[in-house]
């Protein structure tokens, strides 16, 4: 471990009220981590690192989604079609970019360029691509709220979010505590109770992608599924109800009264006969014959009476809203009705998804990965290149039109007598106060009255 890193660890450790210990080996570092803090409490092994899942839901056990990475992955992503569709759209668009360095010109973002260090993101592991990396990043962030990556011998290694512990140290200011500072990460393959040896990592050794911050713990992220987990549960219940409705012959519940039977055994035999002959989808449409005095009556509501499609559609829309995806982009029922599919409405929905969801996610991902792929100079940054993303082709058309209008504005300024340099600066900054006039007028930019009369040829003239 580098000496500068050890100095930072010693400084962070000395800022606590624990007895000072000199950290010179990795074993000392592990010991220090054991005595530090996690989520505001004295750190102990066994505290999970999955951030953002704060609530405990009630209801039937069969319908409950565990608040964990495994619970969200198995019972939301892999078991709910709406969640899967929303996450798939996010994943496919998010993974379509590539990374570049970007320079700054007078404080504004300018030209993008490549570099040898970007090979780590273009080939993050053997056989892996940038798209593979981004797909796993957004999948972890959607399900766990966090995605952790470390550079191990020139290869990016994913740290499973629920096996990561974030180590915090109290920040001491003027004799008191002022929040917490991130001291490092601790990763245990298989989880804290697996018995495997943990691996300690410094903050600058981990790229931590957490696009949605947890309001109760700003050092970690929160899954967008957390606020709508009840909607996901309700959607699953409605799907099962729909299936059971059709399995029951697409009819609501029935009550048969007035069955004449001499004893309980005879009554049970009649009920079993009716169940075998009339229950289930295979018996749908069969005629029901009843003896004198017996009566069959429908109870409950059918799917139309409870406005099933509308009820389920509202829940689907709330799930899509939490994912930042418009229903028309996902292809949900409410997005496919009315005027939502008009060209203008779809275009606005696509732009909202790109501008309000994808671009912020790409910016956050570039800033997070910059920890492992630092820019080559002070006036540069790691950035994303979305120019070849098919989903944004309409945006590229709009950008070209904007550039055309900006060029026309620069031309008008120059034709009016302003300097080319100030005209470009004024358009870039959207500040006409930056314009500097040359003192020349007209398109030819000639000095006033410099050639007020045209010169006639020698010895010539007009006889007219």
């Amino acid at each position: 471990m580098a000496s500068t890193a050890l100095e930072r660890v010693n400084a962070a450790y000395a800022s606590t009220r624990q007895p000072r210990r000199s950290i010179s080996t990795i074993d000392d570092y592990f010991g220090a981590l054991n005595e530090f803090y996690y989520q505001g409490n004295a750190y102990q092994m066994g505290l999970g690192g999955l951030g953002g899942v704060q609530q405990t839901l009630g209801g039937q056990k069969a319908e409950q989604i565990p608040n964990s990475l495994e619970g969200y992955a198995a019972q939301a992503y892999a078991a709910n079609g709406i969640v899967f569709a929303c996450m798939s759209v996010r994943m496919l668009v998010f993974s379509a970019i590539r990374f570049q360095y970007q320079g700054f010109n007078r404080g504004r973002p300018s030209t993008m360029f490549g570099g040898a260090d970007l090979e780590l993101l273009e080939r993050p592991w053997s056989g892996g691509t940038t798209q593979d990396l981004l797909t796993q990043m957004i999948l972890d962030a959607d399900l766990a709220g966090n995605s952790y990556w470390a550079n191990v011998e020139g290869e990016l290694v994913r740290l499973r979010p629920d096996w990561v512990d974030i180590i915090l140290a109290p920040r001491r200011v003027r004799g008191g505590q002022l929040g917490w500072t991130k001291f490092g990460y601790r990763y245990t393959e298989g989880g804290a109770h697996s018995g495997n040896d943990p691996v300690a990592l410094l903050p600058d050794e981990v790229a931590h992608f957490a696009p949605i911050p947890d309001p109760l713990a700003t050092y970690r992220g929160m899954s967008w599924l957390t606020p709508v987990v009840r909607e996901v549960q309700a959607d699953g219940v409605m799907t099962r109800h729909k299936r059971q409705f059709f399995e029951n012959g697409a009819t609501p519940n029935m009550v048969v009264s007035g069955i004449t039977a001499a004893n309980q055994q005879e009554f049970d035999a009649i009920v079993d006969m009716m169940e075998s002959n009339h229950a289930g989808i295979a018996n749908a449409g069969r005629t029901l014959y009843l003896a004198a005095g017996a009566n069959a009556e429908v109870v409950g509501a059918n799917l139309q009476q409870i406005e099933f499609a509308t009820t389920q559609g509202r829940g689907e829309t709330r799930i899509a809203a939490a994912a930042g995806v418009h229903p028309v982009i996902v292809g949900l029922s409410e997005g496919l009705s009315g005027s939502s599919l008009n060209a203008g409405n779809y275009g606005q929905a696509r732009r909202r998804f790109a501008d309000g969801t994808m671009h912020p996610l790409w910016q956050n991902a570039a800033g997070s990965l910059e920890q492992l792929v630092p820019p080559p100079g002070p006036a540069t940054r790691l950035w994303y290149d979305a120019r070849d993303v098919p989903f944004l082709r309409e945006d590229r058309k709009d950008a070209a039109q904007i550039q055309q209008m900006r060029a026309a504005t620069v031309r008008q300024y120059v034709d009016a007598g302003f300097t080319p340099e100030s005209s470009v600066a004024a358009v870039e900054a959207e500040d006409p106060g930056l314009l500097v006039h040359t003192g020349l007028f007209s398109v030819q930019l000639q000095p006033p009255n410099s050639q007020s009369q045209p010169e006639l040829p020698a010895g010539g003239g007009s006889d007219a």
Side-chain angles (χ1 to χ4, degrees):
M1 191 179 298
S3 59
T4 55
L6 288 175
E7 291 173 359
R8 290 198 300 271
V9 173
N10 280 322
Y13 186 74
S15 66
T16 69
R17 294 182 179 178
Q18 303 289 336
R20 177 167 181 148
R21 174 189 298 176
S22 176
I23 300 176
S24 57
T25 66
I26 191 63
D27 292 333
D28 294 337
Y29 183 49
F30 277 125
L33 290 178
N34 281 325
E35 297 179 4
F36 268 80
Y37 298 85
Y38 174 80
Q39 297 185 2
N41 299 311
Y43 179 76
Q44 296 177 357
M45 287 295 293
L47 292 174
L50 176 62
V53 185
Q54 299 292 332
Q55 56 189 5
T56 302
L57 299 177
Q60 299 179 2
K61 184 176 181 180
E63 301 172 359
Q64 185 175 359
I65 298 177
N67 295 326
S68 64
L69 174 62
E70 293 181 354
Y72 283 175
Q75 298 189 32
Y77 176 64
N80 187 278
I82 306 304
V83 173
F84 178 82
C86 292
M87 291 182 59
S88 294
V89 169
R90 288 166 57 93
M91 188 186 309
L92 292 172
V93 179
F94 181 79
S95 62
I97 63 164
R98 59 194 185 99
F99 291 101
Q100 293 275 278
Y101 291 122
Q102 186 177 51
F104 286 84
N105 182 16
R106 291 181 292 183
R108 291 188 60 85
S110 184
T111 306
M112 287 190 287
F113 57 95
D117 292 341
L118 294 175
E119 179 70 18
L120 182 63
L121 301 181
E122 295 168 356
R123 294 291 183 269
W125 56 84
S126 178
T129 65
T130 303
Q131 284 65 44
D132 295 328
L133 169 64
L134 291 171
T135 297
Q136 191 60 62
M137 285 181 65
I138 194 64
L139 186 63
D140 283 346
D142 283 353
L143 295 177
N146 304 273
S147 181
Y148 304 95
W149 296 84
N151 183 358
V152 180
E153 298 179 353
E155 183 174 294
L156 289 184
V157 177
R158 170 188 176 248
L159 310 180
R160 182 166 149 168
D162 55 339
W163 294 347
V164 175
D165 292 319
I166 302 176
I167 312 302
L168 304 177
R171 183 184 290 109
R172 299 295 176 184
V173 177
R174 300 173 184 174
Q177 180 177 342
L178 185 61
W180 301 85
T181 183
K182 186 182 294 184
F183 184 62
Y185 298 88
R186 185 168 189 153
Y187 178 77
T188 307
E189 187 71 30
H193 298 287
S194 64
N196 294 325
D197 293 333
V199 177
L201 297 166
L202 293 170
D204 57 3
E205 295 178 315
V206 176
H208 183 186
F209 175 54
I212 302 177
D214 186 334
L216 301 180
T218 56
Y219 51 87
R220 68 184 182 194
M222 182 184 76
S223 168
W224 65 263
L225 286 168
T226 300
V228 292
V229 68
R230 290 183 177 87
E231 296 292 345
V232 177
Q233 290 176 313
D235 186 79
V237 171
M238 285 186 283
T239 300
R240 288 195 296 272
H241 172 73
K242 179 173 61 177
R243 183 186 64 192
Q244 292 170 355
F245 177 76
F246 286 105
E247 288 178 351
N248 194 39
T251 60
N253 296 327
M254 296 185 64
V255 173
V256 179
S257 59
I259 298 177
T260 302
N263 51 50
Q264 182 68 36
Q265 184 177 2
E266 183 178 343
F267 178 83
D268 292 340
I270 295 174
V271 171
D272 291 340
M273 180 200 60
M274 294 184 65
E275 287 288 330
S276 62
N277 292 332
H278 298 282
I281 191 171
N283 295 316
R286 295 190 62 177
T287 304
L288 176 64
Y289 298 96
L290 299 175
N295 180 47
E297 181 180 0
V298 174
V299 297
N302 57 33
L303 296 181
Q304 182 179 6
Q305 290 172 330
I306 63 174
E307 296 185 345
F308 183 84
T310 301
T311 303
Q312 191 170 36
R314 295 289 192 271
E316 294 173 355
T317 300
R318 284 191 285 269
I319 295 174
V325 186
H326 195 280
V328 70
I329 302 297
V330 187
L332 301 182
S333 58
E334 290 199 339
L336 300 176
S337 60
S339 61
S340 298
L341 286 180
N342 291 346
N345 292 338
Y346 179 83
Q348 291 300 319
R350 181 198 55 76
R351 177 167 293 181
R352 159 62 185 87
F353 177 57
D355 295 346
T357 301
M358 285 294 103
H359 283 289
L361 288 174
W362 288 327
Q363 294 172 17
N364 197 318
S368 300
L369 291 172
E370 194 176 76
Q371 189 84 328
L372 303 180
V373 187
T380 58
R381 66 177 175 181
L382 179 66
W383 203 237
Y384 65 94
D385 186 356
R387 291 174 292 185
D388 298 324
V389 177
F391 189 79
L392 303 181
R393 283 174 181 166
E394 291 296 325
D395 289 346
R396 299 304 305 164
K397 177 181 177 182
D398 294 342
Q401 293 176 345
I402 293 173
Q403 284 293 96
Q404 184 179 11
M405 289 187 291
R406 288 162 62 94
T409 303
V410 171
R411 173 65 183 272
Q412 291 175 353
Y413 284 152
V414 173
D415 289 349
F418 296 100
T419 64
E421 295 78 10
S422 67
S423 299
V424 173
V427 170
E428 288 184 348
E430 299 180 358
D431 182 7
L434 298 177
L435 292 171
V436 178
H437 205 277
T438 61
L440 305 178
F441 298 93
S442 82
V443 176
Q444 291 77 22
L445 301 182
Q446 299 296 329
N449 301 320
S450 61
Q451 291 182 352
S452 57
Q453 297 294 332
E455 295 183 0
L456 298 178
S462 175
D463 295 332

